[in-house]
């Protein structure tokens, strides 16, 4: 369970009345579904199909609904050479919403998205994040851009004994990569499992004033015995340096959102994240892709609104 990656197949994207499309790259294959789960373009109207017009419905006198402005995800999939990661070639995926009601890319806040153990940056597109993001924006969530990167198989997004340091990549290299593409320094973070651990560590490195962090099924450890069992940390000192639960007096983002399934082996540890900036949501679910797909719309809404309504200080 703790080593599971994201072997994801196709997924159904439920429309919200927005027109969903891709630009800047080929989309991952997904099933299109209408607002009630009806078939997409090959059958009855699917995602992006607005209310039926009078002519099409055969009901004379029924007014046509106004067209919903299109919001589309510009999806860019690139590779970067990371000195911090021992010269590794790193996949970087940027998701930038575009549309008549969306500000220019340079004005959008940016959220980093960190994958879990055994996965890659591609996990976020396989979960349907590009579609979920633009659907949320069309429904009124304040817009933001997302950047996902490869952080290694079992690094926990910190410096490993081999010198591979994805945390330094995020802090020292990513800002320049984003600036070259006209994007801002990240002001928020979200992560799944190992990525939840890494997102909290990243926020602590960024210090007071960093924005929201969304931790999805975060892989946290209450004791050294629990941490040692996953076979990742060099020793107890290595774990203690990075474990978010041992540094709760330090800033880990403001606010923090925590989602974890009640059948998840990390649930008890996730409940230990406490404080006046923590918003926790514990519902039925396991440590798997089905749970993460289900909560992603809520996560996106949390990040968008938190970026817009950040408290002063």
């Amino acid at each position: 369970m703790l080593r599971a990656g994201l072997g994801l197949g196709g997924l159904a994207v439920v429309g919200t009345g927005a027109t969903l499309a891709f630009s800047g790259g080929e989309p991952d294959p997904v099933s299109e579904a209408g607002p009630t789960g009806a078939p997409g373009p090959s059958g009855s109207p699917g995602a992006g199909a607005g209310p039926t017009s009078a002519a099409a419905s055969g009901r004379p006198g029924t007014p046509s609904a106004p067209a919903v402005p299109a919001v589309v995800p510009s999806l860019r999939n690139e590779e970067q050479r990371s000195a911090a990661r021992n010269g590794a070639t790193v996949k970087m995926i940027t998701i930038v919403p575009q549309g008549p009601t969306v500000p220019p890319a340079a004005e959008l806040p940016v959220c980093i998205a960190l994958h879990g153990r055994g996965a890659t940056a591609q996990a976020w597109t396989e979960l349907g994040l590009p579609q979920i993001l633009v659907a949320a924006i069309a429904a009124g969530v304040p817009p933001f851009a997302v950047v996902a990167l490869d952080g290694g198989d079992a690094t926990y997004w910190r410096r490993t004994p081999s010198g591979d340091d994805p945390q330094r990549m995020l802090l020292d290299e990513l800002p320049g990569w984003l600036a070259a593409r006209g994007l801002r320094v990240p002001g928020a973070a979200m992560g799944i499992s190992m990525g939840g651990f890494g997102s909290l560590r990243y926020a602590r490195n960024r210090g007071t004033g960093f924005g929201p962090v969304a931790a999805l099924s975060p892989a946290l450890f209450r004791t050294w015995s629990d941490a040692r069992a996953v076979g990742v940390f060099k020793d107890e000192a290595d774990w203690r340096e990075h474990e978010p639960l041992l540094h709760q007096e330090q800033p880990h983002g403001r606010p923090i959102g925590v989602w974890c399934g009640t059948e998840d082996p990390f649930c008890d540890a996730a409940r230990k994240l406490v404080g006046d900036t923590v918003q926790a949501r514990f519902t039925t679910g396991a440590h798997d892709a089905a749970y993460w797909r289900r909560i992603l719309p809520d996560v996106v809404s949390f990040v968008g609104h938190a970026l817009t309504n950040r408290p002063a200080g």
Side-chain angles (χ1 to χ4, degrees):
M1 175 69 75
L2 304 187
R3 295 175 180 268
L6 280 174
L8 307 179
L11 60 130
V13 179
V14 180
T16 61
T19 300
L20 306 186
F22 280 87
S23 65
E26 288 298 316
D28 294 309
V30 294
S31 303
E32 294 186 5
T36 59
S42 60
S44 57
T52 308
S53 67
S57 65
R59 290 175 287 158
T62 303
S64 298
V68 179
V71 180
V72 299
S74 175
L75 190 63
R76 189 169 181 171
N77 195 323
E78 304 173 271
E79 291 184 340
Q80 300 289 340
R81 181 79 66 175
S82 171
R85 297 208 53 219
N86 291 336
T89 298
V90 174
K91 179 177 291 186
M92 183 174 79
I93 300 174
T94 52
I95 308 168
V96 180
Q98 297 179 341
T101 62
V102 179
E107 298 178 14
L108 291 174
V110 174
C111 177
I112 59 169
L114 307 185
H115 62 76
R117 184 173 182 176
T120 67
Q122 198 72 36
W124 292 98
T125 58
E126 291 172 345
L127 284 170
L129 179 58
Q131 298 91 334
I132 291 169
L133 176 64
V134 296
I137 293 168
V141 171
F144 61 96
V146 176
V147 56
L149 302 102
D150 289 344
D153 175 38
T155 62
Y156 275 70
W157 295 90
R158 98 288 181 216
R159 181 179 175 86
T160 68
S162 71
D164 186 359
D165 196 345
Q167 191 70 211
R168 185 161 69 86
M169 173 187 71
L170 298 177
L171 294 168
D172 297 345
E173 297 178 316
L174 179 59
W177 296 342
L178 293 176
R181 287 148 188 82
L183 296 173
R184 294 162 58 179
V185 173
M190 59 181 170
I192 295 172
S193 189
M194 178 184 85
F197 183 106
S199 294
L200 292 165
R201 187 66 177 96
Y202 174 75
R204 179 154 66 98
N205 281 330
R206 291 288 303 274
T208 303
F210 185 70
V213 171
L216 291 66
S217 309
L220 305 176
F221 306 97
R222 295 169 294 175
T223 67
W224 167 233
S225 177
D226 290 344
R228 182 172 53 193
V230 300
V232 169
F233 300 97
K234 177 183 177 181
D235 51 29
E236 185 173 357
D238 180 27
W239 166 67
R240 285 187 171 276
E241 178 184 351
H242 299 286
E243 174 58 57
L245 293 181
L246 299 181
H247 299 275
Q248 294 199 65
E249 77 286 355
Q250 299 180 32
H252 284 91
R254 187 177 184 187
I256 299 172
V258 182
W259 289 257
C260 198
T262 51
E263 287 72 53
D264 191 316
F266 287 114
C267 188
D268 288 345
R271 292 183 188 275
K272 299 295 183 181
L273 279 173
V274 297
D276 59 2
T277 66
V278 177
Q279 302 175 27
R281 296 164 175 82
F282 299 101
T283 56
T284 300
H287 198 84
D288 58 26
Y291 175 74
W292 300 323
R293 287 190 189 109
R294 191 168 78 244
I295 64 173
L296 257 183
D298 192 35
V299 171
V300 167
S301 178
F302 165 83
V303 172
H305 286 293
L307 277 168
T308 301
N309 301 314
R310 288 181 58 188

